[in-house]
Structures are given as structure tokens and as C-alpha cells.
Amino acid sequence: EDQVTQSPEALRLQEGESSSLNCSYTVSGLRGLFWYRQDPGKGPEFLFTLYSAGEEKEKERLKATLTKKESFLHITAPKPEDSATYLCAVQVDNYGQNFVFGPGTRLSVLP
Amino acid sequence: KAGVTQTPRYLIKTRGQQVTLSCSPISGHRSVSWYQQTPGQGLQFLFEYFSETQRNKGNFPGRFSGRQFSNSRSEMNVSTLELGDSALYLCASSLEIGTPGEQYFGPGTRLTVT
């Protein structure tokens, strides 16, 4: 069964304290891995798409990397406005359930 | 450019009733996907529609159904509501089918079943 796990479940950082979020996946055939940000009461906001091991994407203080079994979302010098739940999702090959989401990491950045 | 809109934003229903939720995609987007989000199960894929046809379906019972109209607007219906159907229902649109990286989500409809 295709599975996506994320760790830690919750993370509290001081402003400027860099860290990484992990997304591990076990899927039959990976077509792509995606990171989203979700603020309370809102729908997920697309951040990155990664397609192959070794690929990296950057956007402001965020950098996403991909290996054959996991992805990391690195947050450099975070600010309070980076507080949100970060979701990882994989697109798989088998017909009928192409999109599998992880449970998310709830990030809080304290000023 | 207007984003994805969903109506209603909040809904309270009783067990056994049915409900219809509506989603209007971004102008020009032809693919619409529906997701259920709960604290226990997270975000789960329900189905995807493209050109008025259901193209992909998640592991949900037949009580969950949907349709798409010629203008790409979509509706989902849940019949015989159960307490466990209480959730945030999210709609996402994209230009083409099978491109989740380019999905834009709406704000969701919060359904409470009592």
C-alpha cells in the first residue's frame, strides 16, 4: 500500500533557527513529490514539485530536496509568518488513487 | 484572476441526510479534484474530473459522488450522511489532468454532521 509519513508531527522554532522537515514515502511508482503549505481555515498552497532523486527547488527561505525514499523541506532563518502546516504529497502510477498526502508537520515560529 | 471558489463555506447536516457541495475552478482550468480532510485521516483524494468525466477515484464508498459541468464547474454529493463524514472538503483545479503540482485549492467547505 502506498504510504507517506512526515516527521516531526509538530515543530516549534525560534525566529532565525533553521531546521528541516522530513517526508518519507513508500509507493509503487513515483511520478512526482509535492510540498504544500496550509494555513488554518484555508486550502493548501502549492510550494514545490520534485520529480527525480537529486532534484532541489528553492523559494525564499525554503528549499526542498528529494532522494529515492524521502524528501526534506529545509527552512533557513524562519520568520513567524512561516508558521503553518506543511504537507507532502506523492503522485503514484497506479490508476484510481494518484495522489497520496502525508499527515503534515505543524510548524510554529516564535518571535 | 479569481481563485477557486467553494460554496457553501460551512454546512451543518443531520445523519441520514444528503448534501451537495459546489466548486468553481479558476477560469480556463479544466480539471477539478475533490479531497476530504480530517484530523485523523489527513487529506484524502476523493475523485478527479476532466471534461465532464470522472478520470480518477479514491477509496471512498459509493455514497460519495460527483459531476462536472461543461463550464468545468463541479459538484460533489454525499448521500446518507454519517457522523464520520464531518470534515473539510477541498476542491482543487488545474489546467490539465494529472498535474497535482499545479493544483490550486479553494478555501474548502466545512461539513458538520450531527
Coordinates of all heavy atoms in Angstrom, one line a residue, chain A residues 9-84:
Chain A
E9 N 5.8 15.6 13.9 CA 4.4 15.9 13.8 C 4.2 17.4 14.0 O 3.4 18.1 13.4 CB 3.6 15.1 14.8 CG 2.1 15.4 14.8 CD 1.4 14.5 15.8 OE1 1.8 13.3 16.0 OE2 0.4 14.9 16.4
A10 N 4.9 18.0 15.0 CA 4.9 19.4 15.3 C 6.3 19.9 15.6 O 7.1 19.1 16.1 CB 4.0 19.7 16.4
L11 N 6.6 21.1 15.3 CA 7.9 21.7 15.5 C 7.8 23.2 15.9 O 7.1 23.9 15.2 CB 8.7 21.6 14.2 CG 10.2 22.1 14.2 CD1 11.0 21.3 15.1 CD2 10.7 22.0 12.8
R12 N 8.5 23.5 17.0 CA 8.5 24.9 17.4 C 9.9 25.4 17.3 O 10.9 24.8 17.8 CB 8.0 25.0 18.8 CG 6.6 24.6 19.1 CD 6.2 24.8 20.5 NE 5.9 26.2 20.8 CZ 5.5 26.6 22.0 NH1 5.3 25.7 23.0 NH2 5.3 27.9 22.2
L13 N 10.1 26.5 16.6 CA 11.4 27.1 16.3 C 11.4 28.6 16.8 O 10.3 29.3 16.8 CB 11.7 27.1 14.9 CG 11.8 25.7 14.2 CD1 12.1 25.9 12.7 CD2 13.0 24.9 14.8
Q14 N 12.5 29.1 17.2 CA 12.7 30.5 17.4 C 13.0 31.1 16.1 O 13.5 30.5 15.2 CB 13.8 30.7 18.4 CG 13.6 30.3 19.8 CD 12.5 31.1 20.5 OE1 11.6 30.6 21.1 NE2 12.5 32.4 20.3
E15 N 12.5 32.4 15.9 CA 12.8 33.1 14.7 C 14.3 33.1 14.4 O 15.1 33.3 15.3 CB 12.3 34.6 14.9 CG 12.5 35.4 13.6 CD 11.9 36.7 13.7 OE1 11.3 37.1 14.8 OE2 11.9 37.5 12.7
G16 N 14.7 32.7 13.2 CA 16.1 32.6 12.8 C 16.7 31.2 13.0 O 17.8 31.0 12.6
E17 N 16.0 30.3 13.7 CA 16.5 29.0 14.0 C 16.2 28.0 12.8 O 15.1 27.6 12.7 CB 16.0 28.5 15.3 CG 16.4 27.1 15.7 CD 15.7 26.6 16.9 OE1 14.8 27.2 17.4 OE2 16.0 25.4 17.3
S18 N 17.2 27.7 12.0 CA 16.9 26.8 10.9 C 16.7 25.4 11.2 O 17.2 24.9 12.3 CB 18.2 26.9 9.9 OG 18.4 28.2 9.5
S19 N 15.9 24.7 10.4 CA 15.6 23.3 10.7 C 15.1 22.6 9.4 O 15.0 23.2 8.3 CB 14.5 23.2 11.8 OG 14.3 21.8 12.2
S20 N 14.8 21.3 9.5 CA 14.3 20.6 8.3 C 13.1 19.7 8.7 O 13.0 19.2 9.8 CB 15.4 19.6 7.8 OG 16.5 20.4 7.4
L21 N 12.2 19.6 7.7 CA 11.0 18.7 7.9 C 11.3 17.5 6.9 O 11.8 17.7 5.9 CB 9.8 19.4 7.5 CG 9.5 20.8 8.0 CD1 8.2 21.4 7.6 CD2 9.6 20.8 9.5
N22 N 10.8 16.4 7.4 CA 11.0 15.1 6.6 C 9.7 14.6 6.1 O 8.7 14.6 6.7 CB 11.7 14.1 7.5 CG 11.9 12.8 6.8 OD1 11.0 11.9 6.9 ND2 12.9 12.7 6.0
C23 N 9.8 14.0 4.9 CA 8.7 13.3 4.2 C 9.2 12.0 3.7 O 10.1 12.0 2.8 CB 8.1 14.2 3.1 SG 6.9 13.3 2.1
S24 N 8.8 10.9 4.2 CA 9.2 9.6 3.8 C 8.1 8.9 3.0 O 6.9 9.0 3.5 CB 9.6 8.7 4.9 OG 10.8 9.3 5.6
Y25 N 8.4 8.2 1.9 CA 7.3 7.6 1.2 C 7.6 6.2 0.8 O 8.8 5.8 0.5 CB 7.0 8.4 -0.1 CG 8.1 8.7 -1.0 CD1 8.4 7.8 -2.0 CD2 9.0 9.8 -0.8 CE1 9.5 8.0 -2.9 CE2 10.0 10.0 -1.7 CZ 10.3 9.1 -2.7 OH 11.3 9.3 -3.5
T26 N 6.6 5.4 0.7 CA 6.7 4.0 0.2 C 5.6 3.9 -0.9 O 4.4 3.8 -0.5 CB 6.5 3.0 1.3 OG1 7.4 3.2 2.4 CG2 6.7 1.6 0.8
V27 N 6.0 3.9 -2.1 CA 5.0 3.9 -3.2 C 5.4 3.0 -4.3 O 6.6 2.7 -4.4 CB 4.7 5.3 -3.8 CG1 4.2 6.3 -2.7 CG2 6.0 5.9 -4.4
S28 N 4.5 2.5 -5.1 CA 4.8 1.5 -6.1 C 5.5 2.2 -7.3 O 6.3 1.6 -8.0 CB 3.5 0.8 -6.6 OG 2.5 1.8 -6.9
G29 N 5.1 3.4 -7.6 CA 5.7 4.1 -8.7 C 5.5 5.6 -8.6 O 4.4 6.1 -8.7
L30 N 6.6 6.3 -8.3 CA 6.5 7.7 -8.0 C 6.6 8.5 -9.3 O 7.5 8.4 -10.1 CB 7.7 8.1 -7.1 CG 7.7 9.6 -6.7 CD1 6.5 9.9 -5.8 CD2 9.0 10.0 -6.1
R31 N 5.5 9.3 -9.5 CA 5.5 10.2 -10.7 C 6.0 11.6 -10.3 O 6.5 12.4 -11.1 CB 4.2 10.3 -11.3 CG 3.7 9.0 -12.0 CD 2.4 9.1 -12.6 NE 2.3 10.2 -13.6 CZ 1.1 10.6 -14.1 NH1 0.0 10.1 -13.7 NH2 1.2 11.6 -15.0
G32 N 5.8 12.0 -9.0 CA 6.2 13.3 -8.5 C 6.0 13.4 -7.0 O 5.1 12.8 -6.5
L33 N 6.7 14.3 -6.4 CA 6.5 14.6 -5.0 C 6.3 16.1 -4.8 O 7.0 16.9 -5.5 CB 7.7 14.2 -4.1 CG 7.6 14.4 -2.6 CD1 8.2 13.2 -1.9 CD2 8.1 15.7 -2.2
F34 N 5.3 16.5 -4.0 CA 4.9 17.9 -3.9 C 4.8 18.4 -2.5 O 4.5 17.6 -1.6 CB 3.5 18.0 -4.6 CG 3.4 17.4 -5.9 CD1 3.1 16.1 -6.1 CD2 3.8 18.1 -7.0 CE1 3.0 15.5 -7.3 CE2 3.7 17.5 -8.3 CZ 3.4 16.2 -8.4
W35 N 5.2 19.6 -2.3 CA 5.1 20.2 -1.0 C 4.1 21.3 -1.0 O 4.0 22.1 -2.0 CB 6.4 20.8 -0.5 CG 7.4 19.8 0.0 CD1 8.4 19.2 -0.7 CD2 7.5 19.3 1.3 NE1 9.1 18.3 0.1 CE2 8.6 18.4 1.3 CE3 6.8 19.5 2.5 CZ2 8.9 17.6 2.5 CZ3 7.1 18.8 3.6 CH2 8.2 17.9 3.6
Y36 N 3.2 21.4 0.0 CA 2.2 22.4 0.1 C 2.3 23.0 1.5 O 2.7 22.4 2.5 CB 0.8 21.8 0.0 CG 0.4 21.3 -1.4 CD1 0.7 20.0 -1.8 CD2 -0.3 22.2 -2.3 CE1 0.4 19.6 -3.1 CE2 -0.6 21.7 -3.5 CZ -0.3 20.4 -3.9 OH -0.6 20.0 -5.2
R37 N 1.8 24.2 1.6 CA 1.7 24.9 2.9 C 0.2 25.2 3.1 O -0.5 25.6 2.2 CB 2.4 26.3 2.8 CG 2.1 27.2 3.9 CD 2.6 28.6 3.7 NE 2.0 29.5 4.7 CZ 2.8 30.3 5.4 NH1 4.1 30.4 5.2 NH2 2.3 31.1 6.4
Q38 N -0.3 24.9 4.4 CA -1.7 25.2 4.7 C -1.8 26.0 5.9 O -1.3 25.6 7.0 CB -2.4 23.8 4.8 CG -3.9 24.1 5.0 CD -4.7 22.8 5.0 OE1 -4.2 21.7 5.3 NE2 -6.0 22.8 4.7
D39 N -2.5 27.1 5.8 CA -2.7 28.0 6.9 C -4.1 27.6 7.5 O -5.0 27.1 6.8 CB -2.7 29.5 6.5 CG -1.3 29.9 6.1 OD1 -0.4 29.9 7.0 OD2 -1.1 30.3 4.9
P40 N -4.3 27.9 8.8 CA -5.6 27.5 9.4 C -6.8 28.1 8.7 O -6.8 29.3 8.3 CB -5.5 28.1 10.8 CG -4.0 28.1 11.1 CD -3.4 28.4 9.8
G41 N -7.8 27.2 8.4 CA -9.0 27.7 7.7 C -8.9 27.9 6.2 O -9.8 28.4 5.6
K42 N -7.7 27.5 5.6 CA -7.5 27.8 4.2 C -7.1 26.5 3.5 O -6.8 25.5 4.2 CB -6.4 28.8 4.0 CG -6.8 30.2 4.5 CD -5.7 31.2 4.1 CE -6.1 32.6 4.6 NZ -5.1 33.6 4.2
G43 N -7.2 26.5 2.2 CA -6.8 25.3 1.4 C -5.3 25.3 1.3 O -4.6 26.3 1.4
P44 N -4.7 24.2 1.0 CA -3.3 24.1 0.8 C -2.8 25.0 -0.4 O -3.5 25.1 -1.4 CB -3.0 22.6 0.4 CG -4.2 21.9 1.0 CD -5.3 22.9 0.9
E45 N -1.6 25.5 -0.2 CA -1.0 26.4 -1.2 C 0.3 25.7 -1.7 O 1.1 25.3 -1.0 CB -0.6 27.7 -0.6 CG 0.2 28.7 -1.5 CD 0.8 29.8 -0.7 OE1 0.3 30.1 0.4 OE2 1.7 30.5 -1.2
F46 N 0.3 25.5 -3.0 CA 1.4 24.8 -3.7 C 2.8 25.5 -3.5 O 2.9 26.7 -3.6 CB 1.1 24.7 -5.2 CG 2.3 24.2 -6.0 CD1 2.7 22.9 -5.9 CD2 3.0 25.0 -6.8 CE1 3.8 22.4 -6.6 CE2 4.0 24.6 -7.6 CZ 4.5 23.3 -7.5
L47 N 3.8 24.7 -3.1 CA 5.1 25.3 -2.9 C 6.1 24.7 -4.0 O 6.7 25.5 -4.7 CB 5.7 24.9 -1.5 CG 5.0 25.6 -0.3 CD1 5.6 25.0 1.0 CD2 5.2 27.1 -0.4
F48 N 6.3 23.4 -4.1 CA 7.3 22.8 -4.9 C 6.8 21.5 -5.5 O 6.0 20.8 -4.9 CB 8.6 22.5 -4.1 CG 9.2 23.6 -3.4 CD1 9.2 23.7 -2.1 CD2 9.9 24.6 -4.1 CE1 9.8 24.7 -1.4 CE2 10.5 25.6 -3.5 CZ 10.5 25.7 -2.1
T49 N 7.4 21.2 -6.7 CA 7.3 19.9 -7.3 C 8.7 19.3 -7.5 O 9.5 20.0 -8.1 CB 6.6 19.9 -8.7 OG1 5.3 20.7 -8.6 CG2 6.3 18.6 -9.2
L50 N 8.9 18.0 -7.2 CA 10.1 17.4 -7.4 C 9.8 16.1 -8.1 O 8.9 15.3 -7.8 CB 10.9 17.1 -6.1 CG 11.2 18.3 -5.2 CD1 11.6 17.9 -3.8 CD2 12.3 19.1 -5.8
Y51 N 10.6 15.8 -9.1 CA 10.3 14.6 -10.0 C 11.3 13.5 -9.9 O 11.0 12.3 -10.1 CB 10.1 15.0 -11.4 CG 8.9 15.8 -11.7 CD1 9.0 17.2 -11.9 CD2 7.7 15.3 -11.6 CE1 7.9 18.0 -12.2 CE2 6.5 16.0 -11.9 CZ 6.6 17.4 -12.1 OH 5.5 18.1 -12.3
S52 N 12.6 13.8 -9.6 CA 13.6 12.7 -9.6 C 14.6 13.0 -8.5 O 14.9 14.1 -8.0 CB 14.3 12.7 -10.9 OG 14.9 14.0 -11.2
A53 N 15.2 11.8 -8.0 CA 16.2 11.9 -6.9 C 17.3 12.8 -7.3 O 17.8 12.8 -8.4 CB 16.7 10.5 -6.6
G54 N 17.7 13.6 -6.3 CA 18.8 14.6 -6.5 C 18.3 16.0 -6.9 O 19.1 16.9 -6.9
E55 N 17.0 16.1 -7.2 CA 16.5 17.4 -7.6 C 16.3 18.3 -6.4 O 16.0 17.8 -5.3 CB 15.1 17.1 -8.3 CG 14.6 18.4 -9.0 CD 13.3 18.1 -9.8 OE1 12.9 16.9 -9.8 OE2 12.8 19.1 -10.4
E56 N 16.5 19.6 -6.6 CA 16.3 20.5 -5.5 C 15.6 21.7 -6.0 O 15.7 22.1 -7.2 CB 17.7 21.0 -4.9 CG 18.5 19.9 -4.3 CD 19.8 20.5 -3.7 OE1 20.1 21.6 -4.0 OE2 20.5 19.7 -3.1
K57 N 14.7 22.3 -5.2 CA 14.0 23.5 -5.6 C 14.1 24.5 -4.4 O 14.1 24.1 -3.2 CB 12.5 23.2 -5.9 CG 12.3 22.4 -7.1 CD 12.3 23.2 -8.3 CE 12.0 22.3 -9.6 NZ 10.6 21.8 -9.7
E58 N 14.2 25.8 -4.7 CA 14.3 26.8 -3.7 C 13.3 27.9 -3.9 O 12.9 28.3 -5.0 CB 15.7 27.5 -3.6 CG 16.7 26.6 -3.0 CD 18.0 27.4 -2.8 OE1 18.1 28.3 -1.9 OE2 19.0 27.1 -3.5
K59 N 12.8 28.5 -2.8 CA 11.9 29.6 -2.8 C 12.0 30.4 -1.5 O 11.6 29.9 -0.5 CB 10.4 29.1 -3.0 CG 9.4 30.2 -3.1 CD 8.0 29.6 -3.3 CE 6.9 30.7 -3.3 NZ 5.6 30.1 -3.5
E60 N 12.6 31.5 -1.6 CA 12.8 32.4 -0.4 C 13.5 31.6 0.7 O 14.7 31.1 0.4 CB 11.5 32.9 0.1 CG 10.8 33.8 -0.9 CD 9.4 34.4 -0.4 OE1 9.0 34.0 0.7 OE2 8.9 35.2 -1.1
R61 N 13.0 31.4 1.8 CA 13.7 30.7 2.9 C 13.5 29.2 2.9 O 14.0 28.5 3.7 CB 13.1 31.2 4.3 CG 13.5 32.7 4.5 CD 12.9 33.2 5.8 NE 11.4 33.2 5.7 CZ 10.7 34.1 5.2 NH1 11.3 35.1 4.5 NH2 9.4 34.1 5.2
L62 N 12.8 28.7 1.9 CA 12.5 27.2 1.8 C 13.3 26.6 0.7 O 13.5 27.1 -0.4 CB 11.0 27.0 1.5 CG 10.0 27.6 2.5 CD1 8.6 27.3 2.0 CD2 10.3 26.9 3.9
K63 N 13.8 25.4 1.0 CA 14.5 24.6 0.0 C 14.0 23.1 0.1 O 14.1 22.5 1.2 CB 16.0 24.6 0.2 CG 16.8 23.8 -0.8 CD 18.3 24.0 -0.5 CE 19.2 23.1 -1.4 NZ 20.6 23.3 -1.1
A64 N 13.6 22.5 -1.0 CA 13.1 21.1 -1.0 C 14.1 20.2 -1.7 O 14.6 20.6 -2.8 CB 11.7 21.0 -1.6
T65 N 14.4 19.1 -1.2 CA 15.3 18.1 -1.8 C 14.6 16.7 -1.9 O 13.7 16.5 -1.1 CB 16.6 18.0 -1.0 OG1 16.3 17.5 0.3 CG2 17.3 19.3 -1.0
L66 N 15.0 15.9 -2.8 CA 14.4 14.6 -3.0 C 15.5 13.5 -3.1 O 16.4 13.7 -3.9 CB 13.5 14.6 -4.2 CG 12.8 13.3 -4.6 CD1 11.8 13.0 -3.5 CD2 12.1 13.4 -5.9
T67 N 15.2 12.4 -2.4 CA 16.0 11.2 -2.6 C 15.1 10.1 -3.0 O 13.9 10.3 -3.2 CB 16.8 10.7 -1.3 OG1 15.8 10.2 -0.4 CG2 17.5 11.9 -0.7
K68 N 15.6 8.8 -3.1 CA 14.7 7.8 -3.6 C 13.6 7.4 -2.6 O 12.7 6.7 -2.9 CB 15.5 6.6 -4.0 CG 16.3 6.8 -5.3 CD 17.0 5.5 -5.7 CE 17.7 5.7 -7.0 NZ 18.4 4.5 -7.5
K69 N 13.9 7.7 -1.3 CA 12.9 7.3 -0.3 C 12.3 8.4 0.5 O 11.4 8.2 1.3 CB 13.6 6.3 0.7 CG 14.0 5.0 0.1 CD 12.8 4.2 -0.3 CE 13.2 2.8 -0.9 NZ 12.0 2.1 -1.3
E70 N 12.9 9.6 0.4 CA 12.4 10.7 1.2 C 12.7 12.1 0.6 O 13.5 12.2 -0.3 CB 13.0 10.6 2.6 CG 14.5 10.7 2.7 CD 15.0 10.3 4.1 OE1 14.2 10.3 5.1 OE2 16.3 10.2 4.2
S71 N 12.0 13.0 1.2 CA 12.2 14.4 0.8 C 12.4 15.3 2.0 O 11.8 14.9 3.1 CB 11.0 14.9 0.0 OG 11.2 16.3 -0.4
F72 N 13.1 16.3 1.9 CA 13.3 17.2 3.0 C 12.9 18.6 2.6 O 13.1 19.1 1.5 CB 14.8 17.3 3.5 CG 15.2 16.0 4.2 CD1 15.9 15.0 3.4 CD2 15.1 15.8 5.5 CE1 16.3 13.8 4.0 CE2 15.5 14.6 6.1 CZ 16.1 13.6 5.4
L73 N 12.3 19.3 3.6 CA 12.0 20.7 3.4 C 12.8 21.5 4.4 O 12.6 21.4 5.6 CB 10.5 21.0 3.6 CG 10.1 22.5 3.3 CD1 10.2 22.8 1.8 CD2 8.6 22.7 3.7
H74 N 13.8 22.2 3.9 CA 14.8 22.9 4.7 C 14.2 24.4 4.9 O 13.9 25.0 3.9 CB 16.2 22.9 4.2 CG 16.7 21.6 3.8 ND1 17.2 20.7 4.8 CD2 16.7 20.9 2.7 CE1 17.6 19.6 4.2 NE2 17.3 19.6 2.9
I75 N 14.2 24.8 6.1 CA 13.7 26.2 6.4 C 14.9 27.0 7.0 O 15.4 26.6 8.1 CB 12.5 26.2 7.3 CG1 11.4 25.4 6.7 CG2 12.0 27.6 7.5 CD1 10.2 25.2 7.6
T76 N 15.4 28.0 6.3 CA 16.5 28.7 6.7 C 16.1 30.1 7.3 O 15.3 30.8 6.7 CB 17.5 29.0 5.5 OG1 17.9 27.8 5.0 CG2 18.7 29.8 6.0
A77 N 16.6 30.3 8.5 CA 16.2 31.6 9.2 C 14.8 31.9 9.2 O 14.4 32.9 8.6 CB 17.1 32.7 8.7
P78 N 13.9 31.0 9.7 CA 12.5 31.2 9.6 C 12.0 32.5 10.3 O 12.6 32.9 11.3 CB 11.9 29.9 10.2 CG 12.9 29.5 11.1 CD 14.2 29.8 10.5
K79 N 10.8 33.0 9.8 CA 10.1 34.1 10.4 C 8.8 33.6 10.9 O 8.3 32.6 10.5 CB 10.0 35.2 9.4 CG 11.3 35.8 8.9 CD 11.1 36.9 7.9 CE 12.4 37.5 7.4 NZ 12.2 38.6 6.4
P80 N 8.2 34.4 11.8 CA 6.8 34.0 12.3 C 5.8 33.7 11.2 O 5.0 32.9 11.4 CB 6.4 35.2 13.2 CG 7.7 35.7 13.7 CD 8.7 35.6 12.5
E81 N 5.9 34.4 10.1 CA 4.9 34.2 9.0 C 5.1 32.9 8.3 O 4.3 32.5 7.5 CB 5.0 35.4 8.0 CG 6.4 35.7 7.4 CD 7.0 36.8 8.2 OE1 6.9 36.9 9.4 OE2 7.7 37.7 7.5
D82 N 6.2 32.2 8.6 CA 6.4 30.8 8.1 C 5.6 29.8 8.9 O 5.5 28.6 8.5 CB 7.8 30.4 8.1 CG 8.7 31.3 7.1 OD1 8.2 31.7 6.0 OD2 9.8 31.7 7.5
S83 N 5.0 30.2 9.9 CA 4.2 29.3 10.7 C 3.0 28.8 9.9 O 2.2 29.6 9.4 CB 3.7 30.0 12.0 OG 4.7 30.4 12.8
A84 N 2.8 27.5 9.8 CA 1.8 26.8 9.0 C 1.9 25.3 9.2 O 2.9 24.8 9.8 CB 1.9 27.3 7.6

